[in-house]
Amino acid sequence: MALYLGTSLYFYDKYKWWDRALHFLSGVGFVGFGIAFAGISSGIMKLVILFFGFTFSITLHVIWEVLEYISDCISHGNAQRWQKVNASVNHVSEKAIQPAGLVDTMNDIICCIIGAGVTTLVWWFIL
């Protein structure tokens, strides 16, 4: 649904926050999957379960970014917003020191880390 809204209905271009919100929420969701995968009732320490959930989330996100890169290379797409001239809005300042693709990828990863960190902190009080 996120890809459909972002690409087909142009949410990436209409809403500056769309991409960052998706990556933040993926960080949140992947932590939950990691905690469920580790198994809360397995007798493992809470810290180990939360650390696994946090690192699981970031690992899945990095794999997603690599798949975006591979997809761009094969299909000459622009999932990582690396093209300077395109129909899509990069949401990167003209004064940015780094190219748009790097800025987009780093923003995606940082948003995931923040989402995973906040979620891990919340789960600390739940477990």
Side-chain angles (χ1 to χ4, degrees):
M1 182 57 81
L3 291 174
Y4 172 72
L5 291 173
T7 306
S8 298
L9 298 180
Y10 306 105
F11 274 35
Y12 286 114
D13 297 330
K14 290 179 184 177
Y15 306 107
K16 189 176 180 178
W17 51 265
W18 178 253
D19 190 39
R20 290 186 179 123
L22 286 178
H23 288 285
F24 178 85
L25 292 174
S26 72
V28 170
F30 290 155
V31 167
F33 287 134
I35 290 171
F37 187 68
I40 296 170
S41 63
S42 62
I44 303 173
M45 289 179 13
K46 177 168 66 169
L47 182 63
V48 173
I49 292 171
L50 293 176
F51 182 72
F52 177 80
F54 180 77
T55 57
F56 183 78
S57 176
I58 294 170
T59 301
L60 287 180
H61 192 80
V62 168
I63 291 169
W64 177 262
E65 291 296 325
V66 169
L67 292 175
E68 274 187 358
Y69 172 77
I70 291 170
S71 170
D72 281 351
C73 289
I74 292 172
S75 70
H76 302 288
N78 195 29
Q80 293 191 312
R81 306 292 186 248
W82 60 273
Q83 296 176 4
K84 291 185 185 253
V85 179
N86 59 56
S88 176
V89 178
N90 283 325
H91 304 298
V92 176
S93 169
E94 292 291 326
K95 296 178 184 178
I97 297 171
Q98 300 294 333
L102 177 61
V103 173
D104 178 70
T105 301
M106 292 309 299
N107 283 334
D108 294 350
I109 291 172
I110 290 167
C111 287
C112 176
I113 290 170
I114 292 170
V118 168
T119 305
T120 302
L121 186 63
V122 169
W123 272 102
W124 177 264
F125 296 106
I126 293 173
L127 292 180

